[in-house]
Amino acid sequence: MKILVGVKRVVDANVKIGVKSDGTGVDLANMKMSMNPFDEIAVEEAVRLKEAGAATEVVAVSVGVAQAQETLRTALAIGADRAILVEASDGVEPLGVAKILKALVDRELPQLVILGKQAIDDDSNQTGQMLAALAGLPQATFASKLAIADGKATVAREVDGGAETLSLQLPAVVTTDLRLNEPRYVTLPNIMKAKKKPLETIKPEDLGVDITPRLKTLKVAEPPRRSAGVKMADVRALVEKLKNEAKVL
Ligand code: AMP
């Protein structure tokens, strides 16, 4: 069984970001970039399935600028077998990425596609769903457990008030939630090994895909600054303020 995994290069989750002064977007100059955290979970899950004998090959795909090769090398160091970079400018919209992944599904014929539930830069939470629709594949989003047996994927999903378990006929699309697994640390020997693994670079045109944007960002703004808190002398003063100033009691 072949598994295709999507990995997006995004601004590192631990760095403090700011908005460009002209309000056209987030300032990414000299920012640390990393693999989208949900995609690390996706790669980890695919590699675990391979280690358990349920999969034979893990192919990591990224759509983005040339530097996304580093993100793909990280996926290879976690344990993916080969990588495909679909080179495009940053900010390809979820529909564009889904169309590219659909073309790769047609070319690679994976039995399973694992994506993150969302990219932490655009928070779209759309690509997996769009891919499943374009490719006509069953989908299970926000997976917190995944098992493969007898040509089927069994997926547990956290829903309001409990867990839901779905059974999907493969091939299928699964998107990862935080609790699916804890990605391993990438070791130096595996980073060295990853340098020798195959990484193919293609363009969206090679797949016959048009990624012309459909959305226009009108403005990006910082959230309003919160004013400083006030320390109250005692509970009586606090209740007084909540009643008469905040008017929440
Ligand atoms: P989104 O719909 O943008 O929130 O992204 C959901 C998931 O789709 C991500 O966690 C990735 O697995 C995949 N994805 C989105 N954009 C890309 C990209 N440029 N390259 C590779 N995978 C992507």
Side-chain angles (χ1 to χ4, degrees):
M1 179 177 87
K2 190 193 281 189
I3 306 179
L4 197 71
V5 187
V7 297
K8 186 175 186 187
R9 175 179 180 265
V10 297
V11 64
D12 189 273
N14 298 310
V15 303
K16 196 173 176 321
I17 52 163
V19 170
K20 286 187 202 161
S21 53
D22 61 3
T24 55
V26 171
D27 192 357
L28 294 178
N30 304 319
M31 285 287 172
K32 180 172 184 242
M33 305 295 281
S34 298
M35 187 188 299
N36 182 45
F38 293 106
D39 301 350
E40 267 187 271
I41 296 172
V43 179
E44 175 68 35
E45 195 65 19
V47 171
R48 285 188 193 186
L49 284 169
K50 188 178 168 201
E51 288 167 347
T56 48
E57 190 183 25
V58 177
V59 183
V61 180
S62 193
V63 179
V65 291
Q67 292 91 321
Q69 283 186 26
E70 291 159 26
T71 318
L72 287 169
R73 290 283 170 211
T74 306
L76 294 169
I78 296 173
D81 298 288
R82 62 186 169 93
I84 304 170
L85 170 65
V86 184
E87 207 174 348
S89 59
D90 257 337
V92 178
E93 291 168 6
L95 180 59
V97 176
K99 285 184 190 166
I100 287 170
L101 293 175
K102 153 78 169 78
L104 286 171
V105 165
D106 292 345
R107 191 185 94 165
E108 297 280 340
L109 303 174
Q111 285 294 97
L112 184 62
V113 181
I114 313 183
L115 304 180
K117 75 168 178 182
Q118 76 194 58
I120 61 161
D121 53 358
D122 59 21
D123 270 349
S124 295
N125 172 231
Q126 295 173 355
T127 309
Q129 295 88 327
M130 286 176 168
L131 169 63
L134 290 173
L137 295 177
Q139 62 173 314
T141 52
F142 311 158
S144 54
K145 248 190 217 153
L146 168 63
I148 305 290
D150 306 326
K152 290 199 170 88
T154 306
V155 178
R157 322 175 53 237
E158 283 173 26
V159 291
D160 277 351
E164 178 185 65
T165 305
L166 299 178
S167 174
L168 316 174
Q169 188 68 47
L170 298 178
V173 177
V174 171
T175 71
T176 62
D177 208 342
L178 266 189
R179 264 177 284 275
L180 184 59
N181 62 50
E182 209 170 296
R184 68 195 67 185
Y185 285 105
V186 176
T187 61
L188 191 57
N190 285 340
I191 293 173
M192 300 314 286
K193 267 193 226 157
K195 288 185 201 267
K196 297 205 183 98
K197 291 186 181 176
L199 193 160
E200 177 191 4
T201 300
I202 53 175
K203 301 256 183 220
E205 306 86 83
D206 301 331
L207 298 167
V209 175
D210 174 15
I211 52 164
T212 311
R214 309 263 185 117
L215 307 170
K216 190 172 160 200
T217 302
L218 299 180
K219 190 178 159 210
V220 177
E222 303 259 0
R225 279 193 194 285
R226 290 175 63 178
S227 49
V230 186
K231 209 167 179 177
M232 306 307 300
D234 52 31
V235 174
R236 180 193 290 263
L238 173 65
V239 171
E240 182 67 23
K241 240 189 174 9
L242 289 174
K243 244 190 200 161
N244 300 323
E245 213 172 280
K247 298 200 191 313
V248 290
L249 290 183

